[in-house]
Amino acid sequence: MNTIAPIEASAAEEIRAYMAEQEKKSLLRFLTCGSVDDGKSTLIGRLLYDTKLIFEDQLAALQNDSRKHGTNGEDIDFALLVDGLEAEREQGITIDVAYRFFSTPKRKFIVADTPGHEQYTRNMATGASTADLAIVLVDARQGILRQTRRHSFIASLLGIRNIVLAVNKIDLVDYSQAIFDKIVADYQEFASSLGFLSIQPIPLSARFGDNVISASVNMPWYKGPALLEHLETVPLADADQDRPFRFPVQYVNRPNLDFRGFSGTIASGTVAPGDEVVVAKSGKASRVKRVVTLDGDLDRAVEGQAVTLVLEDEVEVSRGNMLVAPGARPEVADQFAAHLVWFSEHALIPGRSYILRTETDQATATITDLKYRIDINTFGQEAAKSLDLNEVGVVNISAQEPIAFDPYKSNRSTGSFILIDRITNATVGAGMIDFGLRRASNVHWQALDVSKESRANQKNQKPAVLWFTGLSGSGKSTIANLVEKRLSSLGKHTYILDGDNVRHGLNRDLGFTEEDRVENIRRVGEVAKLMADAGLIVLVSFISPFRSERRMVRELLADGEFLEVFVDTPFEECARRDPKGLYAKALRGEIKNFTGVDSPYEPPESPELHLRTVGRTTEELASEVEKLLTDHGIIFNYDQSSWSI
């Protein structure tokens, strides 16, 4: 008699029943945040331990790790359960975001343990971006700290509306109700303007489990819920199926000639075969023919589902675009206002170019205006020229291409973005779009009948921007001046933009701070582009100390039009020459922000021409520039004594 088959069938049935039960449970995504050493990792470890969700081998490993890295003597250090990096264990801090899934009979949970150290605020923002609730931990001995305020403010910005104020380490202040009440009052006072729907204060000891999953006998004065009880019962905002349909296209699925679908995850709303949809950027309309998944076609798909949509018509939709409801289309603009959290140790500077990336789209973008910085302590607005690490501000952004978006308050998925440094590829900021700027839709390119090519042909030359960069006193202006004289003698139409001359007019309002230097080059780059459009050969002589700004100008121009000339003269030689006496003043401290002394110069990494000037005459160096122009087809050398087009 075969008894194995009935047992296997029974086990399979139990598994199906269990999976069906799990699917019916609601899912709460939450994060722990707060200042350093407030006990965030310990709290999560205690939750998992007390709910008996740690396997025996995990517990044995945790006990071994506690003896090696723990800070609780002979007791288990629950923080080690989620602090997985060796550096985290050695330093006793959280660096990266650690995600854990667990489930109770009432609800499923995904928890993000985020770092409290200011240096890793960007990781806290990452964890908060998908969370429904935030547990803000406060050390009962320390009270409300600056990082408590910062994390609460970022949670509010990122759309979190439910807060648990977990006053931890209450055992270290003798379970004092007075201290707890004081911390709660302080928190509610500053958080009253952040728009939270609920703030649930809970006094607890993560180390010993007081009020974590059940009421503590050490605090009979506390009548509220234990932490787990609150997490299991806090109301969740259901996916709003009445919100407009948004489907960011992540991939064009074309496995063969007979199938063309658009794959992605529904950001909001619902979709079904027969529904009319519109391509956000082009406005082209079609209808949904099929909603395809790996398990077969669906009659309807909702927010959060990953599907492939097949349309009835052959409309052009590429990655970065969006399929949307025709009656409620998103904004499409290349300029918008946004709240921005800055992550980089290098300050945000208006005018500098970054890569802006949304959920599926990407464009080069510039911060055109820093409207104000937000004071984390008072939430007041402060005038500022830059944003430093972990600061929050309101900015205007201009992208090179229009993007489709909703205001972040309406849709977290389609209203968020990150900024990426163009040189290092590091994520330097995270933003929440507030609204599109009206000028983005009111200002259009005017079609002109006379083209750049026509203007250049009229002058019988090829336009170009010859960009001389180097330290003050390196010889940039002298070389550029001689090259222009030679070009002029050949009948070429030229113009020199010199750093000192421009600062007497166009840029007379700018100083020499890093912010002003960036704006200085941005303006000059735009002028050089206009002159190249006029068909001129433009010689630009600027220190232009930062690679990012020189790259920004290069990208303004057509391929081959920007030629970078690095006039490489050592600092010591420039200081010896000191034609204007500036080095002497800078070295005495009489001039601030002087390039090479107390402001950096970033030499070009791959210029079109590298001029090493020491021991060479100006004529020799100018001849090298002429050869560069010849090699790039700007001028032609038919013999050694004649330069002509």
Side-chain angles (χ1 to χ4, degrees):
M1 180 178 179
N2 186 358
T3 60
I4 296 178
I7 294 175
E8 290 179 345
S10 175
E13 183 61 33
E14 288 181 6
I15 292 173
R16 283 193 292 269
Y18 175 79
M19 295 300 294
E21 180 185 352
Q22 293 298 311
E23 289 178 1
K24 294 177 183 178
K25 293 181 184 178
S26 60
L27 172 65
L28 172 67
R29 296 176 181 268
F30 70 95
L31 80 153
T32 58
C33 57
S35 194
V36 176
D37 202 31
D38 280 343
K40 297 177 290 298
S41 300
T42 301
L43 177 60
I44 296 175
R46 170 58 76 172
L47 261 176
L48 297 175
Y49 178 79
D50 285 352
T51 52
K52 304 189 185 306
L53 295 172
I54 302 177
F55 296 113
E56 291 184 4
D57 58 337
Q58 290 178 308
L59 181 58
L62 180 61
Q63 291 169 336
N64 290 333
D65 289 340
S66 296
R67 287 190 289 269
K68 180 180 179 182
H69 298 287
T71 59
N72 293 336
E74 295 299 318
D75 295 334
I76 293 176
D77 188 346
F78 292 105
L80 298 177
L81 193 63
V82 285
D83 284 344
L85 300 177
E86 187 68 19
E88 294 178 320
R89 295 173 174 226
E90 290 174 352
Q91 299 178 57
I93 63 172
T94 299
I95 296 174
D96 201 359
V97 183
Y99 292 93
R100 291 292 183 272
F101 171 86
F102 68 99
S103 176
T104 68
K106 295 182 179 180
R107 181 172 274 175
K108 297 177 293 186
F109 303 93
I110 296 177
V111 55
D113 180 30
T114 66
H117 198 285
E118 288 194 13
Q119 182 179 351
Y120 304 111
T121 296
R122 59 185 177 273
N123 293 344
M124 178 269 163
T126 299
S129 62
T130 58
D132 306 302
L133 176 147
I135 300 178
V136 180
L137 278 91
V138 177
D139 188 328
R141 301 167 300 172
Q142 304 290 333
I144 306 299
L145 300 176
R146 179 180 177 85
Q147 195 72 334
T148 314
R149 295 172 179 271
R150 176 181 286 113
H151 281 191
S152 298
F153 182 70
I154 292 174
S156 172
L157 275 183
L158 290 170
I160 294 175
R161 293 294 172 258
N162 296 297
I163 295 292
V164 172
L165 177 62
V167 182
N168 192 27
K169 304 185 181 181
I170 196 75
D171 54 299
L172 298 181
V173 293
D174 297 326
Y175 303 99
S176 170
Q177 181 179 2
I179 291 177
F180 173 74
D181 290 343
K182 174 67 166 56
I183 292 173
V184 171
D186 290 345
Y187 187 86
Q188 290 178 333
E189 179 181 359
F190 90 79
S192 60
S193 62
L194 297 182
F196 297 129
L197 294 178
S198 68
I199 299 176
Q200 176 62 57
I202 301 176
L204 55 81
S205 170
R207 179 180 178 183
F208 297 110
D210 293 275
N211 283 336
V212 175
I213 68 167
S214 59
S216 170
V217 296
N218 296 311
M219 289 170 280
W221 47 267
Y222 173 69
K223 305 301 182 183
L227 176 61
L228 183 61
E229 178 187 350
H230 180 69
L231 295 178
E232 288 180 326
T233 57
V234 63
L236 292 180
D238 294 330
D240 189 354
Q241 297 186 6
D242 293 330
R243 287 198 300 170
F245 175 64
R246 297 288 184 264
F247 185 74
V249 175
Q250 298 174 327
Y251 174 66
V252 179
N253 190 348
R254 193 71 185 271
N256 55 58
L257 294 176
D258 300 322
F259 186 93
R260 182 168 178 259
F262 306 102
S263 302
T265 300
I266 299 173
S268 64
T270 65
V271 66
D275 286 354
E276 186 178 359
V277 293
V278 169
V279 181
K281 291 185 180 181
S282 68
K284 299 291 185 182
S286 184
R287 290 188 181 276
V288 177
K289 183 177 181 180
R290 297 172 58 193
V291 180
V292 181
T293 72
L294 185 63
D295 298 322
D297 288 11
L298 300 179
D299 294 331
R300 177 167 295 275
V302 300
E303 177 180 327
Q305 284 188 282
V307 297
T308 295
L309 300 183
V310 179
L311 304 184
E312 292 182 353
D313 305 291
E314 290 289 334
V315 296
E316 194 282 324
V317 190
S318 58
R319 174 178 168 84
N321 215 324
M322 214 185 297
L323 295 173
V324 302
R329 294 164 63 175
E331 294 189 57
V332 178
D334 59 1
Q335 297 184 54
F336 50 86
H339 279 75
L340 186 67
V341 185
W342 194 246
F343 295 157
S344 175
E345 294 180 357
H346 300 287
L348 174 146
I349 299 175
R352 183 161 284 174
S353 178
Y354 302 95
I355 297 172
L356 182 147
R357 185 172 294 167
T358 65
E359 185 169 303
T360 57
D361 207 355
Q362 178 174 301
T364 299
T366 301
I367 309 297
T368 56
D369 185 25
L370 173 55
K371 300 178 73 66
Y372 56 84
R373 178 175 56 214
I374 299 174
D375 185 288
I376 294 300
N377 292 313
T378 66
F379 305 130
Q381 301 175 3
E382 301 177 337
K385 288 189 174 182
S386 64
L387 287 182
D388 291 323
L389 176 67
N390 296 328
E391 291 186 332
V392 180
V394 173
V395 300
N396 288 346
I397 295 179
S398 175
Q400 284 192 353
E401 300 174 2
I403 64 171
F405 63 87
D406 294 289
Y408 186 83
K409 290 182 179 179
S410 301
N411 194 313
R412 292 168 76 177
S413 297
T414 59
S416 59
F417 65 90
I418 60 173
L419 292 180
I420 299 171
D421 186 273
R422 301 172 59 79
I423 296 176
T424 65
N425 264 345
T427 300
V428 295
M432 291 68 69
I433 298 175
D434 296 326
F435 51 83
L437 299 176
R438 285 186 58 83
R439 62 175 176 267
S441 56
N442 293 341
V443 179
H444 304 277
W445 282 104
Q446 176 64 44
L448 303 175
D449 294 329
V450 180
S451 66
K452 180 201 301 185
E453 290 73 18
S454 299
R455 301 185 193 103
N457 290 336
Q458 184 185 53
K459 298 173 178 62
N460 194 31
Q461 64 185 37
K462 181 179 177 181
V465 173
L466 204 57
W467 193 279
F468 294 84
T469 177
L471 294 173
S472 176
S474 61
K476 301 182 299 299
S477 297
T478 304
I479 298 169
N481 188 53
L482 180 55
V483 171
E484 187 187 32
K485 286 173 63 177
R486 293 187 180 182
L487 292 174
S488 180
S489 69
L490 297 173
K492 302 307 171 189
H493 297 258
T494 63
Y495 197 86
I496 285 186
L497 292 171
D498 183 81
D500 284 351
N501 294 348
V502 170
R503 281 187 177 273
H504 281 89
L506 175 67
N507 292 346
R508 67 186 302 174
D509 60 319
L510 300 177
F512 292 90
T513 63
E514 186 174 355
E515 296 85 353
D516 285 347
R517 286 174 182 271
V518 170
E519 176 62 11
N520 185 41
I521 299 305
R522 188 194 69 80
R523 294 182 190 179
V524 170
E526 294 288 352
V527 171
K529 179 179 184 295
L530 292 175
M531 288 185 166
D533 284 343
L536 299 179
I537 299 173
V538 191
L539 297 90
V540 182
S541 176
F542 274 69
I543 295 174
S544 48
F546 305 122
R547 295 189 189 103
S548 57
E549 277 63 65
R550 298 194 298 266
R551 176 180 290 191
M552 174 189 68
V553 178
R554 181 185 293 273
E555 293 177 352
L556 287 174
L557 298 157
D559 289 344
E561 280 188 355
F562 183 90
L563 303 176
E564 187 175 35
V565 179
F566 177 27
V567 184
D568 186 1
T569 305
F571 174 86
E572 295 76 15
E573 176 63 17
C574 293
R576 185 192 65 78
R577 296 175 183 176
D578 202 10
K580 304 171 187 175
L582 300 178
Y583 280 92
K585 291 181 179 179
L587 292 170
R588 290 196 301 266
E590 298 173 9
I591 299 177
K592 300 297 182 184
N593 302 311
F594 190 82
T595 302
V597 177
D598 56 354
S599 184
Y601 177 79
E602 299 173 355
E605 295 177 328
S606 54
E608 278 72 20
L609 180 60
H610 189 160
L611 291 178
R612 295 175 174 84
T613 66
V614 175
R616 308 183 66 194
T617 66
T618 304
E619 289 73 15
E620 291 172 338
L621 297 168
S623 295
E624 281 203 45
V625 177
E626 290 172 339
K627 184 177 185 304
L628 172 71
L629 294 172
T630 303
D631 293 342
H632 283 77
I634 309 301
I635 59 176
F636 297 104
N637 182 14
Y638 293 107
D639 58 58
Q640 293 299 318
S641 60
S642 173
W643 299 86
S644 62
I645 213 58

